[in-house]
Amino acid sequence: MLLQPDDIAQLPERQRAAFINCLSGFKSANLVGTVSASGQANLALVSSVVHLGANPPLLAFISRPPSVDRHTLEYLRDTGFFTLNHVHEDMLLAAHQTSARYPRDVSEFDAVGLTPCFSALHPAPYVEESRLRIGLKVRDTRPIELNNTVMVIGEIIEVQLPGEALPDDGFIDLARLDTMTIGGLDGYYRVMRACRLSYAKPDRAARELEE
Amino acid sequence: MLLQPDDIAQLPERQRAAFINCLSGFKSANLVGTVSASGQANLALVSSVVHLGANPPLLAFISRPPSVDRHTLEYLRDTGFFTLNHVHEDMLLAAHQTSARYPRDVSEFDAVGLTPCFSALHPAPYVEESRLRIGLKVRDTRPIELNNTVMVIGEIIEVQLPGEALPDDGFIDLARLDTMTIGGLDGYYRVMRACRLSYAKPDRAARELEE
């Protein structure tokens, strides 16, 4: 199947949105937790979290246009902090349900039955049911003029995850945490590890790392 | 396990890089194909491709700093086009091997044994072994000053994928294509579909879509 500019332009809006959303490949599944200046908690499912760099430790996500976004962008700008919480299969329905359009005075935590929990370092709510929780300080919110979305960049200031100590090699196997991945607008996938591969060098083939 | 700013700052560099790279969740697995003005082909594995929007159809990825990047950024700026090619399990070793530091006059296609193929629409090389190939016109390259990376934004001008017709609902099941996902710096994962969920509304629980 071959689609060129005219084919893409002629797709009906919903079919195009669903199709184009599949093309980037598998996406991360995170709940963004924020709180308003007056204390109203907000939770939103995002599939656009991306690693920016390890030093300083930066993550980013793409927010919908301010005219469409329901509170996340406003709250994280007001308070300066947000959380990211991995989505696992046993909390999937609740996580998906956060994308419904609830009124401003309704907390998605209450509406979908997830539990907020807090850190002494910042006011943004974590999701207790998530097994990997990240607290971030907002470093930048950059408009992307091409389609009026906004790139939110946060610096990691806290990580909460299972286990007593960080492995020496720093590798966290997300499949063991049952973290899910997203395909397209509404597809949710389980993940199984295939392999880890050694650092690639020009003069020898990469090999599988044993553990 | 709880890591706060001092804990993160004190991690040895490699452990920190590996750890922070796990935190965003599962990542897309794509090969970026570019060509220099003089015709030298280049291929690089990236895990940072992210969906920006469907109308116009935009994808983005994060390139390492221009001082570190090996040719991809330079070539796509020179020619104005690049391709994204999904990585599947049967081409994983070759895809991973593209991240080795080959000299400028070596094409990664030749070095790792992948096959370039071309479209009439633009000069950037596709990867024939990939089952989902996307041609993009560069729309913007934006420096991210916080860590000197660069966000490359492309508009989709061509999609090549299996099948005779696009499904009415626009959904492409990436698990059927054996597209892989990446965890951390060097973990590769297989994916199995768990479910698709209906559009979330405040007044009713989301349900599984049947097909």
Side-chain angles (χ1 to χ4, degrees):
Chain A
M1 194 180 353
L2 175 67
L3 291 101
Q4 293 191 330
D6 284 352
D7 307 307
I8 297 169
Q10 285 163 19
L11 293 175
E13 187 183 338
R14 287 189 179 199
Q15 187 185 25
R16 169 158 62 181
F19 174 59
I20 300 295
N21 262 278
C22 294
L23 297 181
S24 61
F26 286 108
K27 305 190 253 196
S28 50
N30 284 284
L31 285 165
V32 185
T34 53
V35 65
S36 73
S38 65
Q40 176 69 49
N42 188 270
L43 201 53
L45 182 63
V46 293
S47 62
S48 59
V49 175
V50 64
H51 171 86
L52 278 196
N55 190 10
L58 300 175
L59 300 178
F61 73 95
I62 309 299
S63 169
R64 297 199 297 171
S67 58
V68 176
D69 174 67
R70 297 185 300 282
H71 318 141
T72 297
L73 193 60
E74 174 190 334
Y75 291 0
L76 67 82
R77 278 175 163 159
D78 282 353
T79 63
F81 295 93
F82 62 104
T83 70
L84 293 171
N85 306 267
H86 280 204
V87 173
H88 316 290
E89 192 159 3
D90 54 12
M91 57 186 275
L92 174 60
L93 279 169
H96 181 80
Q97 188 64 29
T98 63
S99 52
R101 194 179 289 265
Y102 292 105
R104 173 179 282 265
D105 62 350
V106 171
S107 160
E108 286 81 7
F109 282 100
D110 298 334
V112 309
L114 291 170
T115 314
C117 60
F118 296 91
S119 156
L121 292 186
H122 63 84
Y126 290 102
V127 178
E128 190 174 294
E129 287 80 359
S130 172
R131 298 190 268 289
L132 198 160
R133 304 186 282 258
I134 310 166
L136 302 102
K137 180 177 168 59
V138 177
R139 291 296 303 271
D140 201 0
T141 59
R142 305 162 60 103
I144 297 175
E145 295 79 6
L146 287 165
N147 65 355
N148 296 314
T149 54
V150 176
M151 185 183 199
V152 176
I153 302 179
E155 180 166 345
I156 297 170
I157 58 167
E158 187 170 56
V159 185
Q160 305 175 359
L161 74 171
E164 295 302 308
L166 200 63
D168 286 343
D169 68 358
F171 181 75
I172 306 295
D173 188 347
L174 301 182
R176 285 203 197 167
L177 299 183
D178 286 326
T179 294
M180 300 201 83
T181 181
I182 297 178
L185 277 178
D186 57 18
Y188 295 94
Y189 294 79
R190 297 183 193 107
V191 172
M192 288 186 318
R193 195 160 95 193
C195 60
R196 292 178 65 192
L197 294 178
S198 63
Y199 191 82
K201 299 195 171 181
D203 56 350
R204 65 161 188 231
R207 62 189 166 73
E208 222 172 293
L209 294 179
E210 304 191 8
E211 289 182 89
Chain B
M1 196 182 349
L2 174 68
L3 292 100
Q4 295 192 329
D6 284 353
D7 306 309
I8 297 170
Q10 285 163 19
L11 293 173
E13 188 182 338
R14 286 189 179 200
Q15 187 185 24
R16 169 158 61 183
F19 174 60
I20 300 293
N21 263 278
C22 294
L23 297 181
S24 61
F26 287 108
K27 305 190 253 197
S28 50
N30 285 283
L31 286 165
V32 184
T34 53
V35 64
S36 73
S38 65
Q40 176 69 49
N42 187 271
L43 201 54
L45 182 62
V46 293
S47 62
S48 60
V49 175
V50 65
H51 172 85
L52 278 196
N55 190 11
L58 300 175
L59 299 178
F61 73 94
I62 308 299
S63 170
R64 297 199 296 173
S67 58
V68 176
D69 174 67
R70 295 186 299 282
H71 317 142
T72 297
L73 192 60
E74 174 190 335
Y75 291 179
L76 67 84
R77 279 175 162 158
D78 283 354
T79 63
F81 295 93
F82 63 104
T83 69
L84 293 171
N85 306 266
H86 280 206
V87 173
H88 316 290
E89 191 158 5
D90 54 12
M91 56 186 276
L92 173 61
L93 280 169
H96 181 82
Q97 188 64 28
T98 63
S99 50
R101 195 178 288 266
Y102 292 105
R104 173 180 281 266
D105 62 350
V106 171
S107 160
E108 286 83 6
F109 283 99
D110 298 334
V112 309
L114 290 170
T115 314
C117 60
F118 296 91
S119 156
L121 293 187
H122 63 85
Y126 290 103
V127 178
E128 191 173 292
E129 287 80 0
S130 172
R131 297 190 268 288
L132 198 161
R133 304 186 281 259
I134 310 166
L136 302 103
K137 179 177 168 59
V138 177
R139 291 295 303 272
D140 202 359
T141 59
R142 304 161 62 101
I144 296 175
E145 295 79 6
L146 286 164
N147 65 354
N148 295 317
T149 54
V150 176
M151 185 184 198
V152 177
I153 302 179
E155 180 167 345
I156 297 171
I157 58 167
E158 187 170 57
V159 185
Q160 305 175 358
L161 73 172
E164 294 302 309
L166 200 62
D168 286 343
D169 68 358
F171 181 75
I172 306 296
D173 188 347
L174 301 181
R176 285 203 197 168
L177 299 183
D178 286 326
T179 294
M180 301 202 84
T181 181
I182 297 178
L185 277 178
D186 57 19
Y188 295 94
Y189 294 80
R190 298 182 191 107
V191 172
M192 288 187 319
R193 195 160 95 195
C195 60
R196 292 178 64 193
L197 293 178
S198 63
Y199 191 80
K201 298 194 172 182
D203 56 350
R204 66 161 187 231
R207 63 189 165 72
E208 222 172 291
L209 294 178
E210 303 190 11
E211 289 181 88

